[in-house]
Amino acid sequence: MFGSALELRGMRDTHNYHTGLFAKDQENPLWQLDGGLGAAGATFESRYSDPEEKKLMRMHILEEMQLLHKKIRAAKVDSVVCRLMLLMKSLKVLEKKELDCQSDNIAKKSDLEAKIIHLEEKITNNCDSKSLHDDLDHCISISLEKLHLAKKELAARLRMLLSVRRQLEDVPSQSELIQYEHRFSELNINIEEIHRQTRKYYATYNALLELKELMLKETSLLNSLNSQFQDAISDTAGRLKLIDSTGGILKGIKQKLQKVQEGIQADQRVCNTLREKYAAAAASQRRGSSRLRALQEEIARNQRLKSELQSRNAATPCEVEVIGSL
């Protein structure tokens, strides 16, 4: 407990040190907010007797708070202010815990001092050893009971800590999340490929099914013509019926042909679009290749000029020595 109190006191001293260190920055909205809150608290603690004066002071404080909020939003430090408020709340909680620990320790200390004084008085008054042993046994039993309770509390906290650690271990790390993301992207690509192949197979199946139906109709038509041609051609009504049925068949064939032609035209439009995109990509690639070639030539030229300049700079001291010898 004394260690926790010292840690809390150290945190409070560190907070006070940083507060004093940055107190000169009067234009910072955070410190202006802190000062405004302090002034507001001092004003309300003064307890004005006049209600009108209280109302005016309250309006003035609200205006100051709105001005500070505007400055904070202009400085774009909203998250910092929220974190500061949370830290201040946690600091108050820790200070309260520190005071509780100090009061508890003072009470325990006074209790132990009273027991020690009581034992010393018994020893000075020549009390019998049996009563001293009984008192010591009583104190030891109480201390052991407190130790047992403390061990139980420590075990409970350790169990809670282990459960929290297990929960943290169940949470995936950043690298695991990246691996999961890569795996999901790969699965998405595979699913898209399988979906594309499935659509292709369904389209092929539908085309073959339509072809099968058309062939069955043609087969039934040919069988009908083969079986009823002689009977139909010998009668005028039969010939008219045969012409009508043949016209209906021709109309259906034309409709099928028109539908196939529309599909071919749609495919042709898609093909033309893809060809235009391919031509644009090829032209872009050619432009990139030409620029890359020009860049490589320029780099080679730059390297050659650098080497010539270095050779000239290296030859200059030799020329100076030759001129000096002459």
Side-chain angles (χ1 to χ4, degrees), residues 5 78-79 119 124 137 147 149 211 229 262 271 274 284 287:
D78 296 339
S79 61
L119 289 173
T124 55
D137 291 337
L147 179 62
L149 292 174
L211 183 61
F229 182 74
E262 289 177 356
C271 182
L274 292 175
S284 178
R287 287 195 299 272

Side-chain angles (χ1 to χ4, degrees), residues 37 66 102 196 203 213:
L37 291 173
Q66 290 177 358
Q102 287 180 356
R196 187 183 62 80
E213 291 178 355

Side-chain angles (χ1 to χ4, degrees), residues 2 4-14 16 98 102:
F2 287 108
S4 301
L6 290 173
E7 290 178 0
L8 292 171
R9 190 178 295 108
M11 291 173 66
R12 186 179 61 186
D13 294 338
T14 304
N16 293 331
E98 180 185 3
Q102 287 180 356

Side-chain angles (χ1 to χ4, degrees), residues 111-178:
D111 189 13
L112 291 174
E113 287 177 351
K115 288 181 180 179
I116 291 170
I117 292 170
H118 181 66
L119 289 173
E120 287 178 352
E121 289 178 353
K122 283 187 176 181
I123 292 171
T124 55
N125 293 329
N126 295 322
C127 185
D128 55 347
S129 60
K130 184 177 180 182
S131 62
L132 289 174
H133 285 302
D134 292 337
D135 291 337
L136 289 173
D137 291 337
H138 181 66
C139 292
I140 290 169
S141 63
I142 292 173
S143 299
L144 289 174
E145 186 177 357
K146 290 181 179 179
L147 179 62
H148 185 63
L149 292 174
K151 285 182 178 180
K152 282 185 177 180
E153 185 178 359
L154 179 62
R157 290 189 178 182
L158 287 175
R159 286 194 295 271
M160 183 176 66
L161 180 62
L162 289 174
S163 65
V164 172
R165 283 183 178 177
R166 291 193 190 96
Q167 291 177 2
L168 289 175
E169 289 175 356
D170 293 335
V171 176
S173 62
Q174 186 68 26
S175 59
E176 292 177 349
L177 290 174
I178 292 171

Side-chain angles (χ1 to χ4, degrees), residues 236-255:
T236 304
R239 286 196 297 270
L240 293 175
K241 187 177 180 181
L242 179 62
I243 292 170
D244 292 335
S245 62
T246 308
I249 294 167
L250 182 61
K251 185 178 179 181
I253 292 171
K254 285 181 179 180
Q255 289 178 356

Side-chain angles (χ1 to χ4, degrees), residues 11-24:
M11 291 173 66
R12 186 179 61 186
D13 294 338
T14 304
H15 173 72
N16 293 331
Y17 169 74
H18 288 291
T19 305
L21 185 62
F22 293 101
K24 296 180 180 180

Side-chain angles (χ1 to χ4, degrees), residues 67-247:
L67 181 61
L68 288 175
H69 281 299
K70 288 180 181 179
K71 289 183 179 180
I72 289 167
R73 286 194 293 271
K76 296 180 179 180
V77 289
D78 296 339
S79 61
V80 179
V81 173
C82 293
R83 182 164 179 78
L84 178 63
M85 298 300 292
L86 292 175
L87 290 174
M88 290 174 67
K89 289 180 180 179
S90 62
L91 181 62
K92 289 181 181 179
V93 173
L94 291 174
E95 287 178 351
K96 185 178 179 182
K97 288 183 179 179
E98 180 185 3
L99 293 175
D100 294 338
C101 291
Q102 287 180 356
S103 61
D104 191 12
N105 292 330
I106 290 170
K108 289 181 179 179
K109 180 182 176 182
S110 60
D111 189 13
L112 291 174
E113 287 177 351
K115 288 181 180 179
I116 291 170
I117 292 170
H118 181 66
L119 289 173
E120 287 178 352
E121 289 178 353
K122 283 187 176 181
I123 292 171
T124 55
N125 293 329
N126 295 322
C127 185
D128 55 347
S129 60
K130 184 177 180 182
S131 62
L132 289 174
H133 285 302
D134 292 337
D135 291 337
L136 289 173
D137 291 337
H138 181 66
C139 292
I140 290 169
S141 63
I142 292 173
S143 299
L144 289 174
E145 186 177 357
K146 290 181 179 179
L147 179 62
H148 185 63
L149 292 174
K151 285 182 178 180
K152 282 185 177 180
E153 185 178 359
L154 179 62
R157 290 189 178 182
L158 287 175
R159 286 194 295 271
M160 183 176 66
L161 180 62
L162 289 174
S163 65
V164 172
R165 283 183 178 177
R166 291 193 190 96
Q167 291 177 2
L168 289 175
E169 289 175 356
D170 293 335
V171 176
S173 62
Q174 186 68 26
S175 59
E176 292 177 349
L177 290 174
I178 292 171
Q179 291 179 359
Y180 292 156
E181 184 179 1
H182 290 167
R183 183 57 181 164
F184 283 140
S185 62
E186 292 176 358
L187 290 173
N188 190 19
I189 292 170
N190 293 331
I191 289 169
E192 287 180 354
E193 182 65 22
I194 293 172
H195 181 64
R196 187 183 62 80
Q197 292 179 0
T198 304
R199 291 181 63 183
K200 180 181 176 182
Y201 294 150
Y202 269 107
T204 305
Y205 174 77
N206 292 329
L208 292 174
L209 188 62
E210 289 180 359
L211 183 61
K212 179 184 176 182
E213 291 178 355
L214 184 60
M215 291 177 66
L216 288 174
K217 288 180 180 179
E218 290 178 355
T219 304
S220 63
L221 175 61
L222 292 174
N223 291 329
S224 176
L225 290 174
N226 188 23
S227 61
Q228 299 178 3
F229 182 74
Q230 295 296 331
D231 297 334
I233 202 68
S234 61
D235 190 6
T236 304
R239 286 196 297 270
L240 293 175
K241 187 177 180 181
L242 179 62
I243 292 170
D244 292 335
S245 62
T246 308

